[in-house]
Amino acid sequence: MTAAATPFGDAPAARYGFGLLVVLLYVFLLAPLVTIVGASFTSGMLIEFPPRGFSLQWYGQFFQRDNLVAALLVSLRVGLITAVVTSIMAMMAALAGQAMAGKLGGWFQIGMVLPLLVPELLTGVGLLFFLYKIGLGRSLLGLQIGHILMSFPYAYVSISAALRQVPPSLGEASSSLGATGWQTFRLVTLPLVRPGLVMGAIFAFINSFDLYTMSLLLKPVGGTTLPLALFDFLTYEFKPTAAAAATLSILLALVGVALVQRLVGLQRAF
Amino acid sequence: MATVEVKNLRKQYRNVVALDGVSLEARAGQMVTLLGPSGCGKSTTLRCLAGFLEPDGGDVRIDGESILSIPSNRRGFGVVFQNYALFPHMTVAENVGYGLKLRKCAKSEIHARVVEVLRLVRLTGLEDRLPREISGGQQQRVALARALVLKPRLLLLDEPLANLDARLRDEVRWLVRDLQQQSGITAFYVTHDQSEAMAISDMVAVMKAGRVAQFASPREIYQRPAERYVANFTGEANILTCRTAVPAGETRMRVGVGGADLEVDCAPAARTAGDVELLLRPEALRLAGPDDTAAFRGIVTKCAFLGASQHCEIELPDGNILKLAAPPNARVVPGESAGVVIDCTHAWAMPKVPA
Ligand SMILES: Nc1ncnc2c1ncn2[C@@H]1O[C@H](COP(=O)(O)OP(=O)(O)OP(=O)(O)O)[C@@H](O)[C@H]1O
Ligand SMILES: [Mg+2]
């Protein structure tokens, strides 16, 4: 017996019903994106959908706004550093978590994803007080720390899931063949968790690029990130420039996803 | 070639005593099998030898020197795992060449040695396949090649055939034994299959709950087991409780059992034991014909026709039950009386040890 084509069975009604459900789900997920991307190409003066005519003028407008471009550059830089630092930290934490036996390991796991479980606002306020205490209040470094903190759990979950797929006997085999711990990590563990590592780094980047509350609390004096700048912008002028900026962000995320596809797809082992 | 001594090895996991004083030794070039039921501590012993696990007490010596302080990557032992543990992202050749690469051998030398060892395990031509592109039996032979190519001082195999089907198991088993004998590598082999253990080893350690119940040659383990546990684990066995037992000479006893009085060989400990049991392997028993003088007479309680033989159970006057194979056309009828001839050279008295 083969599995039914849909969870509701094979009858034509079930097939059409299921198809409809899938379409609705996609509409629900994609409608905001389609709207915003569409609106960015309007030749009119307002954010509206369907767009009026076609033009790229709002992209031009975006790049002429120095404050928006500066914010984009801050976001990109913070996001990239977050991705790199977070994935290295998460890799180490995942290795440590795996080495812990039994209950301790479970608590460690929960500790590592704590930033997901505590409201961002509370974490942000607490971190702000702490950063002021150590002289990093409202500095770029402080913002960077906040982003790393909030993105860490995503990278950790992705990497530790990948690490759990690697049987411990591989490490033992490698050791018995003469490898040091570092050689085993470099030649066996790392290649096998690489897809999870790349995925984790990209999640961390996208999460950082998106952070609002944390950035609002920690943003350095005289600097800002793209989501904050866009919100400010929209408060005063409801122009399609914002839609163009949003479209650029979406493009960036797509590039990230494509990158995962490519890197993960190239892995021989998976 | 190495001599290995395992002395009084102990290991406890939080509340489980996994090893309760294991002592063994392997002379140079010997294959020593650890045999026992699940959970008796076979893998734990092997992992202590490999250096994956640190024992709580005891010692492991190779050629007289303790190796416990040497980390696993500098012991120079080959390890073969039940699940093969091949590196999934490396080809067969890369897997086999892994240890050589770590030792910074020249590319050409690695290639030559990999080709040579793959020929030994009959895998020539599969160099560029990934582990998931070859069969289980081939994977296990790659694992064997990967360990052997480094010419290890000691080879450790933990149920290497457990994941293979019966036919492959037979084939790889002989390959393991041939390669081990040709190269003269000392080896420890873990299994819970008694026929596998008997067939390929020089010495067998039958393990029981973290201890070695008996450490001897396969023949001795089978024919002269130290106790019931060993006898049961190493093959089919009739074990009868003796009513009387008195020493008769250096290594012999007179035992009263099943209405008969027999003189048999005995385990040394049986001579002083309170209770004695008599082991009769199937080859010691024969259904008595009309002209035979039967040692035992009893009532047939069960008889099943198996084709080449009949399986019979006979209850003796003292309540002991004998299981034996009768010729296919012998007249055996449940409820009737039957005689059994025994060959006392295959009988063995052992002390009764509380389970
Ligand atoms: N990591 C561990 N933590 C706690 N107890 C363990 C651990 N590993 C093994 N044990 C226990 O130690 C005992 C011996 O285990 P071991 O793995 O050596 O058995 P084994 O003889 O190899 O059995 P099998 O034939 O099932 O592989 C068992 O009771 C087992 O439950
Ligand atoms: Mg085991």
Side-chain angles (χ1 to χ4, degrees):
Chain A
M1 205 182 87
T2 57
T6 82
F8 313 113
D10 271 330
R15 279 168 184 273
Y16 288 122
F18 186 67
L20 191 67
L21 204 66
V22 170
V23 169
L24 282 179
L25 193 66
Y26 266 98
V27 169
F28 177 73
L29 289 174
L30 292 177
L33 297 185
V34 171
T35 312
I36 205 76
V37 171
S40 75
F41 292 112
T42 186
S43 56
M45 292 305 287
L46 288 174
I47 297 183
E48 56 188 332
F49 192 83
R52 215 178 276 257
F54 177 85
S55 91
L56 290 175
Q57 59 171 318
W58 300 110
Y59 289 85
Q61 285 280 324
F62 172 81
F63 284 107
Q64 274 160 24
R65 291 265 180 168
D66 289 344
N67 61 333
L68 288 184
V69 173
L72 172 66
L73 290 179
V74 168
S75 276
L76 280 177
R77 204 183 110 179
V78 170
L80 282 176
I81 295 178
T82 300
V84 172
V85 174
T86 305
S87 40
I88 294 173
M89 279 171 52
M91 183 76 243
M92 295 196 287
L95 287 170
Q98 196 192 37
M100 286 177 206
K103 269 206 182 115
L104 188 63
W107 286 113
F108 180 81
Q109 196 95 348
I110 291 174
M112 290 297 104
V113 297
L114 216 50
L116 283 185
L117 307 179
V118 179
E120 190 182 344
L121 185 68
L122 297 186
T123 311
V125 171
L127 188 59
L128 185 61
F129 279 121
F130 176 73
L131 290 174
Y132 267 115
K133 269 267 189 294
I134 61 170
L136 290 176
R138 298 224 162 242
S139 67
L140 195 57
L141 182 57
L143 179 75
Q144 184 70 65
I145 292 173
H147 276 232
I148 290 173
L149 180 69
M150 292 308 295
S151 308
F152 177 82
Y154 295 98
Y156 178 77
V157 167
S158 165
I159 294 172
S160 62
L163 196 58
R164 263 196 299 278
Q165 299 299 311
V166 181
S169 59
L170 293 191
E172 290 172 350
S174 170
S175 171
S176 74
L177 293 166
T180 60
W182 171 248
Q183 285 172 323
T184 297
F185 174 73
R186 198 165 50 82
L187 299 172
V188 178
T189 318
L190 190 59
L192 292 177
V193 299
R194 189 171 292 143
L197 190 67
V198 171
M199 198 93 85
I202 286 169
F203 279 152
F205 176 83
I206 291 175
N207 181 63
S208 157
F209 202 75
D210 248 12
L211 275 182
Y212 187 83
T213 313
M214 184 60 80
S215 301
L216 185 66
L217 288 165
L218 300 182
K219 72 173 174 179
V221 181
T224 190
T225 66
L226 190 61
L228 293 177
L230 278 182
F231 194 79
D232 278 349
F233 176 82
L234 283 171
T235 322
Y236 299 110
E237 12 185 3
F238 200 67
K239 283 204 193 136
T241 316
T247 304
L248 288 174
S249 305
I250 294 168
L251 200 65
L252 211 62
L254 283 180
V255 168
V257 173
L259 220 60
V260 174
Q261 275 291 355
R262 197 163 163 70
L263 288 172
V264 174
L266 282 177
Q267 276 294 315
R268 286 188 296 174
F270 286 81
Chain B
M1 286 275 207
T3 311
V4 184
E5 287 165 273
V6 177
K7 285 192 176 156
N8 201 23
L9 215 53
R10 306 183 157 275
K11 178 73 195 178
Q12 183 158 9
Y13 296 107
R14 251 157 285 142
N15 46 7
V16 190
V17 178
L19 300 184
D20 189 13
V22 169
S23 299
L24 297 168
E25 63 176 66
R27 272 182 274 133
Q30 275 190 335
M31 172 92 103
V32 173
T33 298
L34 306 181
L35 175 66
S38 187
C40 69
K42 307 180 296 290
S43 296
T44 305
T45 306
L46 210 70
R47 295 169 59 77
C48 287
L49 284 172
F52 304 146
L53 208 59
E54 203 179 323
D56 301 333
D59 201 0
V60 178
R61 293 190 185 175
I62 305 252
D63 296 332
E65 274 176 63
S66 173
I67 53 151
L68 284 185
S69 56
I70 303 175
S72 61
N73 63 329
R74 284 199 268 117
R75 289 194 184 182
F77 298 169
V79 185
V80 178
F81 298 81
Q82 177 175 343
N83 68 354
Y84 322 135
L86 296 179
F87 306 125
H89 58 300
M90 298 182 195
T91 62
V92 166
E94 285 167 345
N95 265 285
V96 176
Y98 183 82
L100 295 169
K101 200 171 118 191
L102 292 173
R103 281 161 182 69
K104 307 254 182 301
C105 291
K107 272 225 170 73
S108 55
E109 190 197 340
I110 296 181
H111 179 76
R113 283 174 67 176
V114 167
V115 166
E116 166 64 15
V117 78
L118 285 178
R119 191 184 56 77
L120 278 183
V121 297
R122 299 199 291 276
L123 285 179
T124 305
L126 297 185
E127 286 85 351
D128 296 324
R129 302 268 192 95
L130 287 173
R132 63 182 148 79
E133 295 166 345
I134 57 179
S135 72
Q138 291 169 333
Q139 289 182 36
Q140 194 54 295
R141 282 184 277 156
V142 174
L144 196 60
R146 184 176 67 176
L148 286 174
V149 75
L150 298 176
K151 307 198 185 338
R153 285 201 288 170
L154 180 61
L155 187 61
L156 305 171
L157 308 110
D158 192 349
E159 306 208 28
L161 313 181
N163 286 350
L164 304 179
D165 63 44
R167 205 174 53 80
L168 271 175
R169 207 174 309 166
D170 226 40
E171 185 188 319
V172 182
R173 172 207 291 180
W174 296 122
L175 181 71
V176 169
R177 179 57 162 164
D178 286 349
L179 290 176
Q180 184 263 336
Q181 284 184 320
Q182 275 167 27
S183 53
I185 296 176
T186 313
F188 280 86
Y189 187 104
V190 164
T191 179
H192 55 243
D193 178 332
Q194 56 92 11
S195 61
E196 197 170 295
M198 308 254 274
I200 66 167
S201 22
D202 298 300
M203 294 292 275
V204 179
V206 181
M207 292 187 65
K208 175 185 180 184
R211 292 166 176 274
V212 177
Q214 189 172 6
F215 180 54
S217 69
R219 180 179 290 275
E220 197 152 337
I221 289 277
Y222 183 82
Q223 294 183 334
R224 307 160 77 87
E227 52 170 293
R228 168 190 281 262
Y229 175 88
V230 176
N232 270 329
F233 210 83
T234 47
E236 238 178 275
N238 286 290
I239 296 169
L240 312 183
T241 310
C242 302
R243 313 189 93 191
T244 61
V246 282
E250 277 298 285
T251 59
R252 298 188 49 94
M253 289 184 100
R254 283 206 83 77
V255 294
V257 60
D261 198 26
L262 309 167
E263 192 178 314
V264 296
D265 287 333
C266 70
R271 293 164 53 81
T272 52
D275 287 316
V276 171
E277 290 175 312
L278 182 68
L279 168 69
L280 296 168
R281 295 284 190 193
E283 55 275 19
L285 302 174
R286 186 165 58 78
L287 199 68
D291 311 327
D292 290 317
T293 40
F296 291 137
R297 277 220 159 262
I299 306 293
V300 178
T301 55
K302 207 185 265 180
C303 183
F305 180 69
L306 301 179
S309 66
Q310 304 181 79
H311 172 83
C312 314
E313 296 186 6
I314 296 173
E315 185 171 345
L316 302 180
D318 62 354
N320 277 309
I321 296 200
L322 269 187
K323 294 179 188 169
L324 78 157
N329 290 335
R331 214 186 102 82
V332 193
V333 183
E336 287 186 5
S337 149
V340 178
V341 179
I342 71 167
D343 174 356
C344 273
T345 57
H346 283 295
W348 177 249
M350 12 177 225
K352 183 166 185 166
V353 178

